[in-house]
Amino acid sequence: TFSASFSCPSIDAARVSWTLDGAPCEGARVRTRYDQLAKDASIAVLERACRLTPEKEVVAEAMYGDLWCEPDATKLDLLNPFGLVRSFVEVGPCLFEFFHDPPDLFELLGSTEKFLGIRRRRANGKPPEPDPWLWVISAGRPSSAMQALGFQPAPGWPAGVHALADGWRTRLVVVSELPAAPATLVVRVFGAGRVLRTALEELRALPEGSAVRRAVLPVVVRLRMLVAKAPERKPDDEEFLMDTQNMVEAWERETYDRGLAEGIEKGIEK
């Protein structure tokens, strides 16, 4: 079958911080495979309109943020198909932190510590650089940490988006609380359990030419390949493999058909 030689040419392997046996490679700093999914899918979407730095070094003690993003205001319209993702970056430069498992208080404080290091360095530049934002994306609700830090629903944003006081320039997205709508689909792929399953079904149902499908589906397929090769799997992994089986088969057919069509077109041109 075609699957025997299947690969995902749309993904730059240099971005992926997991070896084919499912283990983190040297230098990988994301917490789980599914945090890597969120990071790689974000890159696949945002690279259209932003300068991106995965694992941005923050301070001399070698702390790293998951994904640093500097949007190009002249290209933001390229992100229109991706709904809420555009809204995240149109506010200006930002640091993304991804948590498949809801962060505890000290994990959230660690994210704000990294972010404050970036803000301080940018403020002390000559000339000072624009003040950025921190986006923490959590698959589930980190209730105790949110209460301890005083997060409140963010005015003007959909349900699931929470904020600290304005001076912190910090927002927390609880993926499980986002409304199920096309504008939130990409971010719901960063979810877990039922939310992720529903998002994958919606992604699979998109037409083949959809910008969202073409950006995100290869990332999902690659993660599935990594999970399938992992020597040890958790219940989340088994569920993910079941939920994505049809997606792999569909992507293989589409990739094969697209390659065949391109080959025929080149043959005609000759």
Side-chain angles (χ1 to χ4, degrees):
T1 63
F2 181 68
S3 59
S5 59
F6 172 63
S7 63
C8 292
S10 299
I11 300 175
D12 180 351
R15 301 176 191 151
V16 180
S17 300
W18 295 89
T19 59
L20 286 178
D21 65 357
C25 71
E26 183 178 356
R29 297 179 179 87
V30 290
R31 287 154 286 274
T32 74
R33 296 185 184 99
Y34 302 96
D35 295 326
Q36 188 68 48
L37 168 63
K39 179 177 174 179
D40 289 343
S42 297
I43 291 172
V45 169
L46 292 171
E47 65 183 2
R48 292 162 171 74
C50 308
R51 183 159 61 93
L52 303 172
T53 307
E55 298 181 356
K56 180 176 178 64
E57 187 169 358
V58 177
V59 294
E61 290 78 8
M63 297 174 65
Y64 291 84
D66 286 343
L67 182 64
W68 171 252
C69 175
E70 296 186 69
D72 182 338
T74 67
K75 297 181 178 179
L76 283 177
D77 285 350
L78 297 174
L79 299 179
N80 287 345
F82 304 97
L84 192 59
V85 175
R86 173 186 168 138
S87 300
F88 291 163
V89 302
E90 68 184 359
V91 299
C94 50
L95 176 68
F96 287 96
E97 290 275 272
F98 302 107
F99 291 91
H100 184 72
D101 299 321
D104 62 24
L105 173 61
F106 289 99
E107 287 175 316
L108 268 183
L109 287 173
S111 292
T112 59
E113 181 182 3
K114 288 183 272 189
F115 177 59
L116 289 173
I118 292 174
R119 291 184 70 185
R120 189 179 301 113
R121 187 161 61 191
R122 291 173 66 86
N124 292 335
K126 298 185 183 300
E129 299 177 274
D131 206 6
W133 289 85
L134 170 63
W135 287 99
V136 178
I137 315 294
S138 175
R141 183 181 179 89
S143 299
S144 59
M146 290 176 65
Q147 182 176 358
L149 295 176
F151 277 95
Q152 299 294 327
W157 290 85
V161 182
H162 306 266
L164 293 178
D166 289 347
W168 288 96
R169 297 178 74 82
T170 295
R171 290 174 177 145
L172 167 67
V173 180
V174 180
V175 178
S176 60
E177 297 178 354
L178 291 173
T184 66
L185 175 55
V186 172
V187 184
R188 286 185 287 119
V189 172
F190 308 162
R194 177 184 54 80
V195 173
L196 174 58
R197 187 181 313 114
T198 301
L200 292 174
E201 291 171 356
E202 293 176 26
L203 181 64
R204 184 171 57 240
L206 292 174
E208 183 179 340
S210 161
V212 172
R213 180 184 175 97
R214 298 195 70 169
V216 179
L217 186 56
V219 180
V220 174
V221 170
R222 180 172 181 86
L223 177 62
R224 190 187 192 284
M225 295 167 65
L226 299 178
V227 172
K229 291 179 178 291
E232 296 182 4
R233 297 200 289 259
K234 298 179 180 179
D236 273 2
D237 297 328
E238 300 295 347
E239 186 176 346
F240 181 76
L241 290 174
M242 292 178 59
D243 293 340
T244 53
Q245 176 59 42
N246 292 337
M247 299 180 75
V248 173
E249 294 170 354
W251 184 252
E252 289 176 354
R253 288 194 300 270
E254 291 170 14
T255 303
Y256 179 79
D257 291 344
R258 189 158 53 246
L260 185 61
E262 290 174 357
I264 292 173
E265 184 177 341
K266 290 179 180 178
I268 293 173
E269 289 175 356
K270 290 180 179 179

